[in-house]
Amino acid sequence: MKTERPRVAIQGIRASFHEEAAFKYFGEEIHTIECNSFKQTFEALQNKEADYVVMAIENSIAGSILPNYSLLLSYTFPVVGEVYVPIQLHLMALPGVRFENIKYVTSHPIAIRQCIDFFDEYPHLKIVESNDTAACAKRIRDEQLDDTVAIANTLAAKLYGLDVLERRIESNKKNFTRFLILTTHENVKKKKANKASLCFQVSNEVGALAKVLNIFAQENVNMSKIQSMPVLGKRNEYNFYVDIEWNDTKNYDAAIRQILKYTHNFNILGEYERFEEDPTPPLLKSEKPKRYINIKKLDQN
């Protein structure tokens, strides 16, 4: 019996890095729900217009996406998984366009900053910022812009029929984004969990947070991340977002029972399987990216 394709809400349009993350987690047989903002993805889930949300939560270079932590607490949808995607950025244009005729480069501002070393070599190019990498590729296709290149992923080049002029132009080749998978409580499927995302507050006194962290250590539970956010409208009060991992569920259960004594407004945002795949793409292990643009030839022109 054929099952219905899951409806997955993403921030951005098709062929964005969010859709790439969705493909990596669910496979390509999904129905992508395009949203203009992260809040809209949660609204789509709340209104039953989507079955899942895929949301970026941190990047290895840019750091945590702080507003998205607030969304986790505001909507209380459970986290049911995670996936890491290597951010590989390529330069793409309409078929037949030559790089020496390019005047404009367009992409998301974070993607542009991650490629700054490449564009230092071409100071004559004008940078145009946009709100989505894939949307830039789509605009080049839709408006037939023959003087503009986009910075995006290979999905965008394939979907919108663009040629890749230069591969892997990002300055740091070990750049990854972590995405969380969320759903409604009724869609949660029981899986063997070995990772959890928590949120809690502690009293504003000496050693209050240390007591909680020591419990994790004593119970052999690894804390893989901690992020603090001020509690809106309350001075010197913070929400602590913590990711923890364990090998034995008994250790996790024991740790949770103990830390409840030292925290308030405690929430388990989700219990799920940690991402185990080696996120380092083969290119980083064995070879350097191939250059397609002859810089000396361009200088001579």
Side-chain angles (χ1 to χ4, degrees):
M1 182 179 177
K2 187 176 180 181
T3 57
E4 191 174 345
R5 292 187 300 166
R7 300 170 301 166
V8 183
I10 63 168
Q11 185 274 323
I13 68 171
R14 290 197 60 202
S16 65
F17 283 103
H18 274 82
E19 187 176 55
E20 184 175 344
F23 285 166
K24 193 167 187 177
Y25 188 84
F26 294 100
E28 296 191 13
E29 292 300 314
I30 65 173
H31 179 61
T32 302
I33 308 296
E34 300 175 338
C35 300
N36 292 327
S37 67
F38 288 113
K39 184 177 181 180
Q40 283 187 14
T41 65
F42 280 78
E43 291 291 327
L45 187 57
Q46 183 168 269
N47 296 332
K48 301 190 182 302
E49 297 167 356
D51 304 308
Y52 297 92
V53 164
V54 173
M55 180 182 73
I57 196 67
E58 61 183 292
N59 175 266
S60 57
I61 295 176
S64 297
I65 305 175
L66 297 181
N68 288 357
Y69 281 94
S70 298
L71 288 174
L72 290 176
L73 203 56
S74 298
Y75 284 85
T76 68
F77 291 124
V79 180
V80 293
E82 65 176 356
V83 63
Y84 285 78
V85 173
I87 304 303
Q88 300 180 8
L89 299 169
H90 313 297
L91 205 65
M92 56 194 67
L94 290 172
V97 168
R98 295 168 61 100
F99 184 81
E100 51 262 42
N101 296 327
I102 295 300
K103 299 177 182 178
Y104 303 98
V105 179
T106 180
S107 194
H108 191 281
I110 292 180
I112 292 169
R113 287 200 296 271
Q114 292 173 355
C115 302
I116 194 65
D117 291 341
F118 178 85
F119 291 108
D120 279 347
E121 301 175 4
Y122 308 102
H124 65 285
L125 294 177
K126 183 177 180 180
I127 305 296
V128 180
E129 296 183 350
S130 182
N131 62 349
D132 185 74
T133 55
C136 294
K138 183 176 184 295
R139 178 171 172 261
I140 288 176
R141 192 277 309 272
D142 290 348
E143 300 181 18
Q144 291 292 293
L145 303 177
D146 58 6
D147 62 351
T148 304
V149 288
I151 304 170
N153 59 13
T154 53
L155 279 179
K158 182 178 179 181
L159 182 64
Y160 301 116
L162 303 183
D163 283 352
V164 175
L165 300 182
E166 182 82 352
R167 297 186 180 277
R168 304 299 305 276
I169 66 171
E170 69 273 11
S171 301
N172 190 320
K173 300 299 187 289
K174 297 182 179 179
N175 181 13
F176 308 95
T177 296
R178 177 186 176 217
F179 296 81
L180 297 180
I181 315 300
L182 301 103
T183 189
T184 56
H185 288 276
E186 55 265 30
N187 281 343
V188 174
K189 298 177 182 178
K190 289 292 183 181
K191 290 184 178 180
K192 185 178 180 181
N194 55 14
K195 187 170 183 176
S197 295
L198 314 176
C199 180
F200 55 81
Q201 298 172 30
V202 296
S203 57
N204 185 22
E205 58 185 41
V206 175
L209 180 59
K211 291 177 182 177
V212 174
L213 304 186
N214 284 334
I215 290 171
F216 290 143
Q218 292 164 9
E219 294 298 336
N220 200 29
V221 172
N222 177 51
M223 184 181 68
S224 58
K225 173 162 185 168
I226 184 169
Q227 178 72 53
S228 64
M229 289 273 291
V231 177
L232 188 63
K234 295 187 177 180
R235 183 183 176 188
N236 295 328
E237 292 190 28
Y238 294 85
N239 284 316
F240 291 95
Y241 296 86
V242 174
D243 291 335
I244 56 174
E245 304 174 356
W246 61 89
N247 293 321
D248 190 333
T249 304
K250 293 180 180 178
N251 297 113
Y252 167 67
D253 291 339
I256 295 299
R257 284 196 299 270
Q258 293 179 64
I259 67 174
L260 285 172
K261 304 173 186 176
Y262 302 102
T263 62
H264 55 277
N265 293 333
F266 178 87
N267 288 277
I268 297 178
L269 302 176
E271 299 171 337
Y272 49 95
E273 289 184 89
R274 63 175 172 260
F275 185 77
E276 297 287 2
E277 178 186 322
D278 180 4
T280 306
L283 181 61
L284 300 184
K285 299 176 180 178
S286 60
E287 59 179 325
K288 294 181 180 180
K290 182 179 179 182
R291 296 299 297 265
Y292 291 90
I293 299 172
N294 189 325
I295 298 174
K296 291 183 179 179
K297 184 177 180 180
L298 289 177
D299 290 341
Q300 291 171 357
N301 291 340

